[in-house]
């Protein structure tokens, strides 16, 4: 079984989970990345059972539209029942690192608004402690050096992501070797660095349900206490 097979399996599991819970007025939040792309392609099969989608990136909006799925601006949407997205890493509290695809800011906004965040991921994304995957931060271009210095002060190694401009016109700095054993604390600390737009720690608002693709099948793991 390939990693893509596992991604397809969790995308299908997400579709099966939401389908009976949708109605004609439902708007679905859709994430960004290869796992989310498998989900979008499956969503096309049930496009008459819901109203439309909110996209977490321009790429996702384009893919949704290519399937004839109406795409709405988040600001015009009254209620978002589900947000379905992948992750770069996820721990047992369903806290995540996201932003490998540079879409972290819009992803975090859509996740914040959605009632239920369903993370779809293959088993390679499950970790004990976050931080093997470099933590992305979206930064206003003029603040690049300042933010880099602040990251060093916080104990991380900043690396400018060459050649990447986000959908919001900003840059990405990836943080290596940072202690993320207390993700909420680090997320909040980085939120206070002037010039950062968003950091890719999704700990204050973790996922509610993880659909994890394993060779033995898809495991459904709700967040403890949900
Ligand atoms: C994009 C993301 C993605 O969810 C994350 O990078 C996972 O991508 P993939 O499904 O391709 O492994 O956060 O900004």
């Amino acid at each position: 079984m390939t990693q893509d097979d596992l991604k397809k399996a969790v995308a299908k599991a997400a579709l099966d989970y939401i389908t009976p819970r949708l109605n004609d007025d439902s708007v679905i939040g859709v994430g960004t990345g290869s796992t989310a792309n498998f989900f979008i392609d499956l969503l096309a099969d049930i496009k008459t059972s819901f109203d439309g989608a909110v996209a977490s990136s321009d790429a996702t909006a384009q893919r949704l539209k290519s399937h004839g799925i109406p795409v709405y601006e988040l600001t015009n949407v009254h209620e978002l029942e589900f947000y379905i997205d992948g992750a770069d890493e996820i721990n047992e509290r369903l806290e995540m690192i996201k932003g490998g695809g540079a879409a972290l800011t819009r992803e975090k906004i859509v996740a914040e608004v959605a009632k239920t965040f369903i993370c779809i991921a293959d088993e390679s994304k499950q970790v004990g402690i976050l931080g093997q995957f470099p933590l992305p931060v979206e930064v206003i271009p003029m603040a690049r050096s300042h933010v880099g210095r602040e990251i060093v002060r916080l104990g991380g190694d900043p690396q400018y992501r060459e050649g990447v401009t986000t959908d919001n016109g900003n840059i990405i700095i990836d943080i290596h070797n940072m202690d993320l054993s207390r993700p909420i604390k680090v997320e909040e600390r980085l939120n206070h660095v002037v010039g950062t737009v968003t950091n890719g720690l999704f700990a204050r608002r973790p996922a509610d349900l993880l659909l994890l693709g394993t060779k033995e099948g898809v495991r459904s793991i709700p967040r403890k206490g949900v």
Side-chain angles (χ1 to χ4, degrees), residues 58-69:
D58 292 345
T60 287
Q62 252 179 31
R63 198 174 185 103
L64 287 162
K65 285 178 192 166
S66 76
H67 285 302
I69 298 170

Side-chain angles (χ1 to χ4, degrees), residues 7 32-35 85-88 98-104 107 125:
K7 289 180 182 187
T32 299
S34 55
T35 319
D85 198 0
D88 297 304
K98 291 182 49 53
L104 60 159
E107 290 176 342
K125 308 293 181 66

Side-chain angles (χ1 to χ4, degrees), residues 29-93:
V30 183
T32 299
S34 55
T35 319
N37 281 346
F38 285 123
F39 174 74
I40 295 167
D41 296 347
L42 289 171
L43 198 57
D45 297 340
I46 61 152
K47 67 181 174 195
T48 53
S49 352
F50 61 98
D51 184 12
V54 166
S56 67
S57 64
D58 292 345
T60 287
Q62 252 179 31
R63 198 174 185 103
L64 287 162
K65 285 178 192 166
S66 76
H67 285 302
I69 298 170
V71 176
Y72 296 113
E73 291 296 330
L74 178 66
T75 200
N76 297 327
V77 169
H78 176 60
E79 202 173 74
L80 211 53
E81 193 63 42
F82 297 107
Y83 178 54
I84 293 100
D85 198 0
D88 297 304
E89 282 186 350
I90 183 159
N91 68 14
E92 64 164 10
R93 289 194 298 272

Side-chain angles (χ1 to χ4, degrees), residues 8-27:
K8 275 181 213 159
V10 291
K12 176 73 169 65
L15 193 83
D16 292 346
Y17 182 89
I18 65 167
T19 301
R21 295 170 169 87
L22 296 175
N23 60 54
D24 291 349
D25 296 326
S26 302
V27 179

